[in-house]
Amino acid sequence: MLDLKALTQALGDLEEELVLEMLKEFATTNPSKTEALEAVAACQGGMAIVGDLFESGDYFVGDLIFAGELLTEAIDVLKPVLGSGATEIKGTILLGTVHGDLHDIGKNIFKSMSEAAGFEVVDIGIDVAVEEFVTKATELKPQIIGMSGVLTLAIDSMKETVESLKTAGVEAKIIIGGNPTTKETCEFVGADAFTTNAAEGVKICQGWV
Ligand code: B12
């Protein structure tokens, strides 16, 4: 059985070999999707440890970069277990990290999980300008627009983007995700929903289509 606490700690300690070894072994035990989601959550907890150690001055930017690479590798090991192989397309999600923010690991996790649940995801990348969201949304007419951001400043970027989308007459449902998103920031931004958990985000989107 996968020791979730040990996994969180190993990721926080940036123990690459140990993290990958634990996950590869876990993947061979034919885990359920729920168990795989618990492993993702444990990894996310490890990233929170990395963030705290960066804030306290024990880790540096190089450690953040390494942590990002490690988490991407970790999620790659879990991807086959997370994918449910839905066959029919449920709807389109336009997805991007808002301007000023370069973080994309959480966005990519949400993308993989949405695709596995049958959504077509058009990912327009990181540091996405307001105009680009508006242009793409007008062109694609997606049912859902997902915005990601982990910096505090991302909340203002999200608000700006939502305002411009509404002014342009875009009618899609809007979901925001990333650590600083809360009920309050969601109201401030003018989005329809928020989450700090990709699996929950997918459920919300499924409820909309
Ligand atoms: C890895 C990392 C980096 C990497 C990013 C690599 C990459 N490709 O993304 C690099 C090294 C590039 C980086 C850079 C910086 N970072 Co940084 N980083 C992190 C770290 C450690 C982890 C972030 C992460 O990937 N978390 C794991 C993912 C899985 O979690 P998540 O993003 O929340 O996503 C989940 C959910 O929220 C949800 N989700 C996410 N998006 C979406 C979208 C939708 C639509 C939905 C439905 C769901 C959803 O699904 C995911 C899975 O459940 C955090 C610490 C932390 N506590 O988060 C700091 C952190 C975010 N960084 C921070 C800082 C300060 C910086 C830098 C300014 C550092 C510097 N001095 O240069 C730069 C900023 C660059 C920029 N302009 O964006 C601060 C932010 C402070 C703040 N309050 O604004 C943090 C909090 C660290 C800290 N405690 O100080 N960083």
Side-chain angles (χ1 to χ4, degrees), residues 42-192:
C43 290
Q44 206 171 322
M47 293 306 262
I49 297 180
V50 173
D52 291 346
L53 289 170
F54 173 73
E55 227 168 323
S56 62
D58 295 298
Y59 278 177
F60 303 98
V61 174
D63 298 306
L64 289 187
I65 296 172
F66 182 71
E69 289 165 359
L70 176 53
L71 184 59
T72 306
E73 278 183 88
I75 300 298
D76 279 346
V77 177
L78 294 172
K79 259 187 198 164
V81 192
L82 289 169
S84 74
T87 46
E88 141 211 15
I89 292 183
K90 298 231 169 63
T92 304
I93 303 177
L94 175 66
L95 179 67
T97 300
V98 292
H99 74 90
D101 198 326
L102 307 177
H103 295 79
D104 66 356
I105 300 170
K107 169 180 74 60
N108 296 343
I109 295 175
F110 173 67
K111 177 184 178 183
S112 302
M113 288 173 60
S114 305
E115 285 177 338
F119 285 97
E120 184 192 4
V121 181
V122 179
D123 181 358
I124 50 175
I126 53 174
D127 192 17
V128 177
V130 172
E131 305 75 47
E132 199 180 341
F133 263 110
V134 175
T135 308
K136 284 281 177 195
T138 315
E139 189 184 303
L140 290 166
K141 299 194 172 36
Q143 285 92 336
I144 298 166
I145 298 176
M147 291 175 202
S148 183
V150 296
L151 297 178
T152 310
L153 63 80
I155 298 300
D156 287 328
S157 302
M158 287 173 176
K159 186 180 171 68
E160 251 182 85
T161 311
V162 171
E163 278 171 0
S164 294
L165 286 167
K166 289 191 175 161
T167 308
V170 173
E171 283 180 359
K173 286 276 193 189
I174 299 174
I175 180 163
I176 57 171
N179 230 8
T181 65
T182 58
K183 189 168 175 285
E184 288 71 32
T185 53
C186 183
E187 276 166 19
F188 172 75
V189 163
D192 298 295

